[in-house]
């Protein structure tokens, strides 16, 4: 049985949610990594199981902070993000990331308490309009809602990736803002674009320890 003060957090999106940070971290508190591959829980240590990066994640650090703050006694993360993924990819070729994650959670009897979504850098290199971005995000969220998972879905405002020379930042950021929706319980998450290059690797994209 899952204790009452347990956070079960899905981490979705692209590289900054997928172990592409420059420094690894091992959680010191009761933080677990639910692996969407095997459907089993492991102690949370970077790189987290479930994504494609081999570096660090914000989640291992966040888990410790949530427990140290007294909000939770235990935190379980399920990362399903993929580096370089566009929002269109996550809804189409990469939809299995979401559907498999949902199936594994259900099989384990786990219901998410939060869904964190950090994505946008890829779409900032494309021609995705604000309207398209919001529509695609709603499509993704509806997969969770159709599965009976109604946890708040936090969409970060993220488009900064200097080395790639993004040209579509304004549209992506506008789409992220306009995707916020009370009926779908989509909420505004952090604005990671406020993290400057002092908080990033030399590529001006992926987070370092400061970030």
């Amino acid at each position: 049985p899952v204790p009452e003060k347990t956070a079960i957090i899905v981490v979705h999106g692209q590289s900054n949610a997928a172990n592409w940070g420059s420094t690894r971290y091992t959680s010191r508190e009761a933080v677990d990594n639910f692996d969407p591959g095997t459907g089993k829980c492991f102690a949370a240590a970077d790189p987290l199981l479930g994504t494609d990066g081999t570096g660090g994640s914000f989640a291992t650090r966040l888990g410790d902070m949530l427990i140290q703050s007294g909000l939770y006694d235990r935190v379980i993360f399920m990362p399903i993000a993929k580096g370089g993924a566009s929002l269109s990819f996550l809804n189409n070729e990469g939809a299995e990331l979401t559907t498999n994650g949902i199936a594994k959670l259900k099989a384990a009897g786990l219901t998410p308490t939060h869904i964190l979504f950090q994505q946008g850098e890829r779409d900032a290199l494309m021609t995705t309009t604000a309207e398209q971005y919001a529509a695609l995000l709603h499509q993704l969220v509806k997969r969770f809602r159709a599965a009976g998972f109604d946890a708040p879905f936090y969409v970060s405002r993220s488009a900064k990736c200097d080395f790639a020379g993004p040209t579509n930042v304004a549209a992506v950021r506008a789409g992220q803002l306009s995707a916020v929706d009370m009926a779908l319980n989509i909420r505004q998450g952090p604005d990671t674009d406020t993290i400057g290059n002092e908080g990033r690797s030399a590529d001006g994209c992926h987070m370092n320890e400061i970030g």
Side-chain angles (χ1 to χ4, degrees):
V2 177
E4 249 177 57
K5 281 182 72 177
T6 297
I8 301 169
I9 303 174
V10 176
V11 179
H12 206 355
Q14 61 175 114
S15 57
N16 275 321
N19 300 331
W20 285 71
S22 63
T23 55
R24 292 179 179 177
Y25 180 87
T26 297
S27 298
R28 298 174 175 88
E29 308 293 342
V31 183
D32 289 308
N33 174 188
F34 180 77
D35 174 20
T38 60
K40 293 184 166 70
C41 271
F42 301 88
D46 291 336
L48 293 173
L49 300 165
T51 67
D52 61 345
T54 56
S57 171
F58 71 84
T60 41
R61 296 154 172 83
L62 174 62
D64 277 358
M65 291 163 71
L66 289 172
I67 292 172
Q68 288 160 3
S69 70
L71 283 169
Y72 295 97
D73 297 328
R74 185 182 180 198
V75 177
I76 301 170
F77 285 105
M78 183 185 72
I80 52 174
K82 184 174 176 61
S86 69
L87 197 44
S88 176
F89 172 86
L90 294 177
N91 272 303
N92 294 291
E93 311 96 297
E96 172 71 7
L97 295 166
T98 302
T99 52
N100 171 66
I102 288 169
K104 290 295 201 300
L105 286 170
K106 282 186 171 290
L110 297 174
T111 301
T113 57
H114 309 78
I115 303 167
L116 308 182
F117 189 72
Q118 197 285 322
Q119 191 277 341
E121 297 93 340
R122 171 62 66 186
D123 286 271
L125 300 174
M126 298 164 63
T127 55
T128 313
T129 66
E131 293 75 20
Q132 286 168 336
Y133 191 96
L136 285 165
L137 191 79
H138 287 184
Q139 187 183 333
L140 183 78
V141 173
K142 284 173 183 171
R143 292 181 193 273
F144 290 99
R145 304 305 181 229
F149 292 161
D150 55 6
F153 185 106
Y154 292 92
V155 56
S156 71
R157 307 215 40 217
S158 305
K160 174 180 164 60
C161 197
D162 292 355
F163 82 92
T167 56
N168 196 36
V169 169
V172 168
R173 286 178 57 80
Q176 288 160 346
L177 193 60
S178 68
V180 172
D181 185 279
M182 279 182 66
L184 283 169
N185 201 6
I186 302 173
R187 307 183 188 186
Q188 193 170 337
D191 187 340
T192 65
D193 285 356
T194 62
I195 299 173
N197 286 342
E198 72 287 348
R200 307 205 181 225
S201 306
D203 61 15
C205 188
H206 300 114
M207 303 301 170
N208 62 19
E209 187 61 40
I210 296 164

